Amino acid sequence: AIAKIANDKCQESRVRMLAFGLLRSSKKSVSKGELLGTIVEVRMPSGLDTLAVFTDGGARYINHSGKIAVVEGVPNPVQKEIDDVINASRPIVAAIGPWDKERRPAPSTGNVRMTFLVSDGLYFGEGPMNLMQQDQMAAPLIQAATTLLLKLVEKTTNSEPDGAGNVASRRA
């Protein structure tokens, strides 16, 4: 049943990633290299900014201040930018492999971390932002993520906050 969920492309990417994780922890075989999402984390002087983008068309941005923007469903107003992040992630996933050690703490100030949610585990790259912005593989992803982030903030700041003060843009 878990393998069926993991392999069902109609399921949400986050649910599929959890199912793949359960299969891996049970020593079951999983497909290799199927990208389900990308997370970009940047340590700001006052906290961590996190952008998560999923192959099912969803995106989440958690600002270091604690404000949250959520976009779900297809189509959505930032679909092209979400697709650009996913497409910029694919060559990186193809070039690196899963991380086989303990998950590292959040990146330090000045660093950017790119974590890829992949069927066979977490893949990641991390380094100083100024160097990663010049890296042949990382630069297109950082640019695409920045463009998405700016559009997400623009689209969601005109929305009404929910009861918790979060801004959400959802497809009904």
Side-chain angles (χ1 to χ4, degrees), residues 33-89:
E34 182 182 349
L35 178 65
L36 299 167
T38 299
I39 301 169
V40 179
E41 301 168 279
V42 178
R43 171 69 64 186
M44 308 300 283
S46 56
L48 187 66
D49 272 5
T50 304
L51 176 67
V53 182
F54 303 98
T55 57
D56 63 10
R60 285 155 177 58
Y61 169 57
I62 305 171
N63 182 273
H64 63 274
S65 69
K67 292 185 179 178
I68 299 172
V70 175
V71 174
E72 290 182 326
V74 176
N76 67 59
V78 292
Q79 189 60 52
K80 179 198 176 307
E81 291 79 10
I82 289 171
D83 291 343
D84 289 347
V85 169
I86 295 301
N87 290 332
S89 299

Short mmCIF file of all heavy atoms in Angstrom, two decimals, residues 33-89:
data_model
loop_
_atom_site.label_atom_id
_atom_site.label_comp_id
_atom_site.label_asym_id
_atom_site.label_seq_id
_atom_site.Cartn_x
_atom_site.Cartn_y
_atom_site.Cartn_z
N GLY A 33 16.31 8.66 -8.16
CA GLY A 33 16.43 9.97 -8.79
C GLY A 33 15.16 10.67 -9.19
O GLY A 33 15.21 11.62 -9.97
N GLU A 34 13.99 10.27 -8.68
CA GLU A 34 12.76 10.99 -9.03
C GLU A 34 12.61 12.21 -8.12
O GLU A 34 12.37 12.08 -6.92
CB GLU A 34 11.53 10.09 -8.90
CG GLU A 34 10.26 10.81 -9.32
CD GLU A 34 9.00 9.99 -9.17
OE1 GLU A 34 9.08 8.76 -8.95
OE2 GLU A 34 7.92 10.59 -9.28
N LEU A 35 12.75 13.37 -8.70
CA LEU A 35 12.65 14.63 -7.95
C LEU A 35 11.21 14.90 -7.56
O LEU A 35 10.31 14.85 -8.40
CB LEU A 35 13.19 15.78 -8.80
CG LEU A 35 13.13 17.17 -8.18
CD1 LEU A 35 14.03 17.26 -6.94
CD2 LEU A 35 13.52 18.23 -9.20
N LEU A 36 10.99 15.19 -6.28
CA LEU A 36 9.66 15.51 -5.77
C LEU A 36 9.57 16.94 -5.26
O LEU A 36 8.47 17.48 -5.14
CB LEU A 36 9.28 14.54 -4.65
CG LEU A 36 9.22 13.08 -5.07
CD1 LEU A 36 9.16 12.17 -3.87
CD2 LEU A 36 8.05 12.84 -6.00
N GLY A 37 10.70 17.54 -4.96
CA GLY A 37 10.67 18.92 -4.48
C GLY A 37 12.06 19.46 -4.22
O GLY A 37 13.04 18.70 -4.18
N THR A 38 12.12 20.76 -4.08
CA THR A 38 13.37 21.47 -3.82
C THR A 38 13.15 22.45 -2.69
O THR A 38 12.14 23.15 -2.66
CB THR A 38 13.82 22.24 -5.08
OG1 THR A 38 14.03 21.30 -6.14
CG2 THR A 38 15.09 23.02 -4.84
N ILE A 39 14.08 22.49 -1.76
CA ILE A 39 14.03 23.43 -0.64
C ILE A 39 15.29 24.27 -0.69
O ILE A 39 16.39 23.73 -0.77
CB ILE A 39 13.92 22.70 0.71
CG1 ILE A 39 12.67 21.82 0.73
CG2 ILE A 39 13.93 23.71 1.86
CD1 ILE A 39 12.59 20.86 1.90
N VAL A 40 15.11 25.59 -0.64
CA VAL A 40 16.25 26.50 -0.62
C VAL A 40 16.18 27.26 0.70
O VAL A 40 15.17 27.89 1.01
CB VAL A 40 16.21 27.48 -1.82
CG1 VAL A 40 17.39 28.44 -1.76
CG2 VAL A 40 16.20 26.72 -3.14
N GLU A 41 17.27 27.17 1.47
CA GLU A 41 17.35 27.83 2.77
C GLU A 41 18.49 28.85 2.75
O GLU A 41 19.59 28.52 2.30
CB GLU A 41 17.63 26.83 3.88
CG GLU A 41 16.59 25.74 4.02
CD GLU A 41 17.07 24.63 4.92
OE1 GLU A 41 17.83 23.78 4.43
OE2 GLU A 41 16.72 24.65 6.12
N VAL A 42 18.20 30.03 3.26
CA VAL A 42 19.22 31.08 3.36
C VAL A 42 19.16 31.64 4.77
O VAL A 42 18.10 32.08 5.23
CB VAL A 42 18.97 32.21 2.33
CG1 VAL A 42 20.01 33.31 2.49
CG2 VAL A 42 18.99 31.66 0.91
N ARG A 43 20.30 31.60 5.44
CA ARG A 43 20.38 32.16 6.79
C ARG A 43 20.51 33.67 6.68
O ARG A 43 21.41 34.18 6.03
CB ARG A 43 21.59 31.58 7.53
CG ARG A 43 21.92 32.23 8.84
CD ARG A 43 20.93 31.98 9.93
NE ARG A 43 20.91 30.57 10.27
CZ ARG A 43 20.05 30.05 11.12
NH1 ARG A 43 19.17 30.80 11.73
NH2 ARG A 43 20.07 28.76 11.37
N MET A 44 19.57 34.37 7.28
CA MET A 44 19.59 35.83 7.35
C MET A 44 20.13 36.20 8.73
O MET A 44 20.10 35.38 9.65
CB MET A 44 18.18 36.39 7.17
CG MET A 44 17.45 35.89 5.92
SD MET A 44 18.28 36.27 4.40
CE MET A 44 17.88 37.97 4.24
N PRO A 45 20.62 37.42 8.90
CA PRO A 45 21.12 37.81 10.23
C PRO A 45 20.09 37.60 11.35
O PRO A 45 20.45 37.28 12.47
CB PRO A 45 21.46 39.29 10.07
CG PRO A 45 21.75 39.45 8.61
CD PRO A 45 20.83 38.49 7.91
N SER A 46 18.79 37.72 11.00
CA SER A 46 17.76 37.58 12.04
C SER A 46 16.97 36.28 11.94
O SER A 46 15.93 36.15 12.57
CB SER A 46 16.81 38.78 11.97
OG SER A 46 16.26 38.89 10.68
N GLY A 47 17.44 35.31 11.17
CA GLY A 47 16.74 34.03 11.09
C GLY A 47 16.92 33.35 9.75
O GLY A 47 17.75 33.74 8.95
N LEU A 48 16.10 32.34 9.52
CA LEU A 48 16.22 31.50 8.33
C LEU A 48 15.05 31.75 7.39
O LEU A 48 13.89 31.73 7.80
CB LEU A 48 16.23 30.02 8.76
CG LEU A 48 16.51 28.98 7.71
CD1 LEU A 48 17.95 29.10 7.19
CD2 LEU A 48 16.28 27.59 8.27
N ASP A 49 15.35 32.01 6.11
CA ASP A 49 14.33 32.07 5.06
C ASP A 49 14.32 30.71 4.38
O ASP A 49 15.38 30.18 4.02
CB ASP A 49 14.67 33.13 4.02
CG ASP A 49 14.14 34.52 4.38
OD1 ASP A 49 13.59 34.69 5.48
OD2 ASP A 49 14.28 35.42 3.53
N THR A 50 13.13 30.14 4.18
CA THR A 50 13.00 28.83 3.56
C THR A 50 11.95 28.86 2.47
O THR A 50 10.81 29.29 2.70
CB THR A 50 12.60 27.77 4.61
OG1 THR A 50 13.56 27.78 5.67
CG2 THR A 50 12.54 26.38 4.00
N LEU A 51 12.34 28.42 1.29
CA LEU A 51 11.42 28.30 0.16
C LEU A 51 11.37 26.82 -0.23
O LEU A 51 12.40 26.21 -0.49
CB LEU A 51 11.93 29.12 -1.03
CG LEU A 51 11.12 29.02 -2.32
CD1 LEU A 51 9.74 29.64 -2.15
CD2 LEU A 51 11.87 29.68 -3.47
N ALA A 52 10.17 26.26 -0.24
CA ALA A 52 9.98 24.86 -0.64
C ALA A 52 9.08 24.83 -1.87
O ALA A 52 8.04 25.49 -1.90
CB ALA A 52 9.34 24.06 0.49
N VAL A 53 9.52 24.09 -2.88
CA VAL A 53 8.81 24.01 -4.15
C VAL A 53 8.62 22.54 -4.48
O VAL A 53 9.56 21.75 -4.34
CB VAL A 53 9.63 24.71 -5.26
CG1 VAL A 53 8.89 24.67 -6.58
CG2 VAL A 53 9.95 26.14 -4.86
N PHE A 54 7.42 22.17 -4.92
CA PHE A 54 7.11 20.77 -5.13
C PHE A 54 6.68 20.51 -6.57
O PHE A 54 6.09 21.36 -7.22
CB PHE A 54 6.00 20.33 -4.16
CG PHE A 54 6.38 20.57 -2.73
CD1 PHE A 54 5.95 21.70 -2.06
CD2 PHE A 54 7.22 19.68 -2.06
CE1 PHE A 54 6.32 21.94 -0.74
CE2 PHE A 54 7.60 19.91 -0.75
CZ PHE A 54 7.15 21.05 -0.09
N THR A 55 6.99 19.32 -7.04
CA THR A 55 6.68 18.97 -8.43
C THR A 55 5.18 18.91 -8.71
O THR A 55 4.78 18.96 -9.87
CB THR A 55 7.33 17.62 -8.82
OG1 THR A 55 6.88 16.61 -7.91
CG2 THR A 55 8.84 17.71 -8.82
N ASP A 56 4.36 18.84 -7.67
CA ASP A 56 2.91 18.83 -7.89
C ASP A 56 2.35 20.24 -8.05
O ASP A 56 1.15 20.42 -8.18
CB ASP A 56 2.19 18.08 -6.77
CG ASP A 56 2.36 18.71 -5.40
OD1 ASP A 56 2.88 19.84 -5.29
OD2 ASP A 56 1.98 18.06 -4.40
N GLY A 57 3.24 21.26 -8.05
CA GLY A 57 2.81 22.63 -8.29
C GLY A 57 2.67 23.49 -7.05
O GLY A 57 2.35 24.67 -7.15
N GLY A 58 2.93 22.94 -5.89
CA GLY A 58 2.82 23.71 -4.66
C GLY A 58 4.13 24.41 -4.31
O GLY A 58 5.20 24.03 -4.77
N ALA A 59 4.01 25.46 -3.50
CA ALA A 59 5.18 26.17 -2.99
C ALA A 59 4.84 26.75 -1.64
O ALA A 59 3.70 27.11 -1.36
CB ALA A 59 5.60 27.28 -3.96
N ARG A 60 5.87 26.83 -0.79
CA ARG A 60 5.74 27.42 0.53
C ARG A 60 6.96 28.27 0.80
O ARG A 60 8.08 27.86 0.51
CB ARG A 60 5.66 26.33 1.60
CG ARG A 60 4.30 25.68 1.61
CD ARG A 60 4.36 24.28 2.16
NE ARG A 60 3.07 23.65 2.25
CZ ARG A 60 2.22 23.43 1.27
NH1 ARG A 60 2.49 23.85 0.07
NH2 ARG A 60 1.09 22.81 1.45
N TYR A 61 6.72 29.43 1.37
CA TYR A 61 7.82 30.31 1.76
C TYR A 61 7.62 30.67 3.21
O TYR A 61 6.56 31.15 3.60
CB TYR A 61 7.83 31.58 0.89
CG TYR A 61 8.77 32.64 1.40
CD1 TYR A 61 10.12 32.38 1.58
CD2 TYR A 61 8.31 33.91 1.71
CE1 TYR A 61 10.98 33.35 2.06
CE2 TYR A 61 9.16 34.89 2.19
CZ TYR A 61 10.49 34.61 2.36
OH TYR A 61 11.34 35.57 2.84
N ILE A 62 8.64 30.39 4.01
CA ILE A 62 8.62 30.77 5.43
C ILE A 62 9.70 31.82 5.61
O ILE A 62 10.89 31.54 5.47
CB ILE A 62 8.88 29.56 6.35
CG1 ILE A 62 7.88 28.45 6.05
CG2 ILE A 62 8.81 30.00 7.82
CD1 ILE A 62 8.18 27.14 6.76
N ASN A 63 9.27 33.04 5.90
CA ASN A 63 10.18 34.15 6.09
C ASN A 63 10.81 34.06 7.47
O ASN A 63 10.20 33.52 8.40
CB ASN A 63 9.39 35.47 5.94
CG ASN A 63 10.25 36.69 6.07
OD1 ASN A 63 10.48 37.17 7.17
ND2 ASN A 63 10.71 37.20 4.94
N HIS A 64 12.01 34.59 7.61
CA HIS A 64 12.71 34.55 8.90
C HIS A 64 11.91 35.21 10.01
O HIS A 64 12.11 34.92 11.18
CB HIS A 64 14.10 35.17 8.78
CG HIS A 64 14.08 36.61 8.43
ND1 HIS A 64 14.01 37.05 7.13
CD2 HIS A 64 14.11 37.72 9.20
CE1 HIS A 64 14.00 38.37 7.12
NE2 HIS A 64 14.06 38.80 8.36
N SER A 65 10.94 36.06 9.66
CA SER A 65 10.10 36.72 10.66
C SER A 65 8.97 35.81 11.13
O SER A 65 8.29 36.13 12.11
CB SER A 65 9.49 38.00 10.07
OG SER A 65 8.54 37.67 9.07
N GLY A 66 8.77 34.68 10.42
CA GLY A 66 7.70 33.75 10.78
C GLY A 66 6.49 33.84 9.87
O GLY A 66 5.59 33.00 9.95
N LYS A 67 6.43 34.82 8.98
CA LYS A 67 5.32 34.91 8.04
C LYS A 67 5.44 33.80 7.01
O LYS A 67 6.54 33.42 6.61
CB LYS A 67 5.28 36.27 7.37
CG LYS A 67 4.93 37.37 8.35
CD LYS A 67 4.78 38.70 7.66
CE LYS A 67 4.41 39.74 8.72
NZ LYS A 67 4.30 41.05 8.13
N ILE A 68 4.28 33.32 6.56
CA ILE A 68 4.24 32.17 5.65
C ILE A 68 3.38 32.51 4.44
O ILE A 68 2.31 33.10 4.57
CB ILE A 68 3.66 30.93 6.36
CG1 ILE A 68 4.53 30.55 7.56
CG2 ILE A 68 3.52 29.77 5.39
CD1 ILE A 68 3.95 29.45 8.43
N ALA A 69 3.85 32.10 3.27
CA ALA A 69 3.06 32.18 2.04
C ALA A 69 2.94 30.77 1.49
O ALA A 69 3.93 30.04 1.42
CB ALA A 69 3.73 33.10 1.03
N VAL A 70 1.73 30.39 1.09
CA VAL A 70 1.47 29.05 0.58
C VAL A 70 0.72 29.16 -0.73
O VAL A 70 -0.25 29.91 -0.83
CB VAL A 70 0.62 28.22 1.59
CG1 VAL A 70 0.26 26.86 1.01
CG2 VAL A 70 1.35 28.07 2.92
N VAL A 71 1.16 28.41 -1.73
CA VAL A 71 0.44 28.30 -2.99
C VAL A 71 0.28 26.81 -3.26
O VAL A 71 1.24 26.05 -3.16
CB VAL A 71 1.23 28.95 -4.15
CG1 VAL A 71 0.54 28.70 -5.48
CG2 VAL A 71 1.39 30.44 -3.92
N GLU A 72 -0.95 26.41 -3.58
CA GLU A 72 -1.22 25.00 -3.88
C GLU A 72 -2.11 24.92 -5.11
O GLU A 72 -2.86 25.84 -5.41
CB GLU A 72 -1.91 24.31 -2.71
CG GLU A 72 -1.01 24.11 -1.52
CD GLU A 72 -1.70 23.37 -0.40
OE1 GLU A 72 -2.91 23.57 -0.22
OE2 GLU A 72 -1.02 22.61 0.27
N GLY A 73 -2.05 23.78 -5.76
CA GLY A 73 -2.93 23.51 -6.89
C GLY A 73 -2.38 24.04 -8.20
O GLY A 73 -1.55 24.94 -8.23
N VAL A 74 -2.85 23.43 -9.26
CA VAL A 74 -2.46 23.83 -10.60
C VAL A 74 -3.75 24.07 -11.37
O VAL A 74 -4.66 23.25 -11.30
CB VAL A 74 -1.63 22.70 -11.26
CG1 VAL A 74 -1.28 23.04 -12.68
CG2 VAL A 74 -0.37 22.42 -10.45
N PRO A 75 -3.89 25.15 -12.09
CA PRO A 75 -2.89 26.20 -12.25
C PRO A 75 -2.88 27.13 -11.04
O PRO A 75 -3.82 27.15 -10.26
CB PRO A 75 -3.37 26.95 -13.50
CG PRO A 75 -4.86 26.78 -13.47
CD PRO A 75 -5.11 25.41 -12.87
N ASN A 76 -1.81 27.89 -10.90
CA ASN A 76 -1.72 28.90 -9.87
C ASN A 76 -0.97 30.09 -10.45
O ASN A 76 -0.36 29.98 -11.50
CB ASN A 76 -1.09 28.34 -8.59
CG ASN A 76 0.35 27.97 -8.77
OD1 ASN A 76 1.18 28.80 -9.12
ND2 ASN A 76 0.69 26.70 -8.53
N PRO A 77 -0.98 31.22 -9.76
CA PRO A 77 -0.40 32.44 -10.35
C PRO A 77 1.13 32.43 -10.49
O PRO A 77 1.68 33.32 -11.13
CB PRO A 77 -0.85 33.55 -9.41
CG PRO A 77 -1.28 32.89 -8.16
CD PRO A 77 -1.67 31.49 -8.51
N VAL A 78 1.80 31.45 -9.92
CA VAL A 78 3.27 31.39 -10.01
C VAL A 78 3.73 30.05 -10.60
O VAL A 78 4.86 29.62 -10.37
CB VAL A 78 3.94 31.67 -8.64
CG1 VAL A 78 3.75 33.11 -8.21
CG2 VAL A 78 3.43 30.71 -7.57
N GLN A 79 2.88 29.42 -11.39
CA GLN A 79 3.20 28.09 -11.92
C GLN A 79 4.47 28.09 -12.76
O GLN A 79 5.30 27.19 -12.64
CB GLN A 79 2.03 27.53 -12.73
CG GLN A 79 2.23 26.09 -13.12
CD GLN A 79 2.37 25.19 -11.91
OE1 GLN A 79 1.53 25.22 -11.01
NE2 GLN A 79 3.43 24.41 -11.84
N LYS A 80 4.65 29.08 -13.62
CA LYS A 80 5.84 29.13 -14.46
C LYS A 80 7.09 29.19 -13.60
O LYS A 80 8.08 28.50 -13.84
CB LYS A 80 5.81 30.33 -15.41
CG LYS A 80 7.06 30.40 -16.29
CD LYS A 80 7.26 31.77 -16.89
CE LYS A 80 8.53 31.91 -17.68
NZ LYS A 80 9.76 31.53 -17.01
N GLU A 81 7.07 29.99 -12.54
CA GLU A 81 8.23 30.15 -11.67
C GLU A 81 8.49 28.87 -10.88
O GLU A 81 9.65 28.51 -10.66
CB GLU A 81 8.03 31.35 -10.74
CG GLU A 81 8.06 32.69 -11.46
CD GLU A 81 6.77 33.06 -12.20
OE1 GLU A 81 5.73 32.37 -12.04
OE2 GLU A 81 6.82 34.05 -12.96
N ILE A 82 7.43 28.18 -10.45
CA ILE A 82 7.59 26.89 -9.78
C ILE A 82 8.25 25.89 -10.74
O ILE A 82 9.21 25.21 -10.39
CB ILE A 82 6.23 26.36 -9.27
CG1 ILE A 82 5.77 27.20 -8.07
CG2 ILE A 82 6.31 24.87 -8.91
CD1 ILE A 82 4.36 26.92 -7.61
N ASP A 83 7.75 25.84 -11.96
CA ASP A 83 8.33 24.94 -12.97
C ASP A 83 9.79 25.28 -13.22
O ASP A 83 10.62 24.37 -13.40
CB ASP A 83 7.55 25.02 -14.29
CG ASP A 83 6.14 24.43 -14.19
OD1 ASP A 83 5.86 23.68 -13.22
OD2 ASP A 83 5.33 24.73 -15.08
N ASP A 84 10.13 26.57 -13.24
CA ASP A 84 11.52 26.98 -13.47
C ASP A 84 12.44 26.47 -12.35
O ASP A 84 13.56 26.03 -12.62
CB ASP A 84 11.63 28.50 -13.58
CG ASP A 84 11.02 29.04 -14.87
OD1 ASP A 84 10.73 28.26 -15.80
OD2 ASP A 84 10.82 30.28 -14.94
N VAL A 85 11.97 26.53 -11.10
CA VAL A 85 12.77 26.01 -9.97
C VAL A 85 12.98 24.51 -10.12
O VAL A 85 14.10 24.01 -9.99
CB VAL A 85 12.12 26.35 -8.61
CG1 VAL A 85 12.80 25.60 -7.47
CG2 VAL A 85 12.16 27.86 -8.35
N ILE A 86 11.90 23.79 -10.42
CA ILE A 86 12.01 22.33 -10.58
C ILE A 86 12.93 22.00 -11.74
O ILE A 86 13.80 21.12 -11.63
CB ILE A 86 10.61 21.70 -10.75
CG1 ILE A 86 9.77 21.88 -9.47
CG2 ILE A 86 10.71 20.24 -11.15
CD1 ILE A 86 10.35 21.27 -8.21
N ASN A 87 12.78 22.68 -12.86
CA ASN A 87 13.63 22.40 -14.02
C ASN A 87 15.09 22.73 -13.76
O ASN A 87 15.98 22.03 -14.25
CB ASN A 87 13.10 23.13 -15.26
CG ASN A 87 11.80 22.54 -15.75
OD1 ASN A 87 11.54 21.35 -15.57
ND2 ASN A 87 10.97 23.36 -16.35
N ALA A 88 15.37 23.78 -12.98
CA ALA A 88 16.76 24.11 -12.63
C ALA A 88 17.33 23.10 -11.64
O ALA A 88 18.55 22.95 -11.54
CB ALA A 88 16.82 25.53 -12.05
N SER A 89 16.48 22.40 -10.92
CA SER A 89 16.92 21.40 -9.94
C SER A 89 17.32 20.08 -10.59
O SER A 89 18.20 19.37 -10.08
CB SER A 89 15.80 21.12 -8.94
OG SER A 89 15.45 22.29 -8.24
#
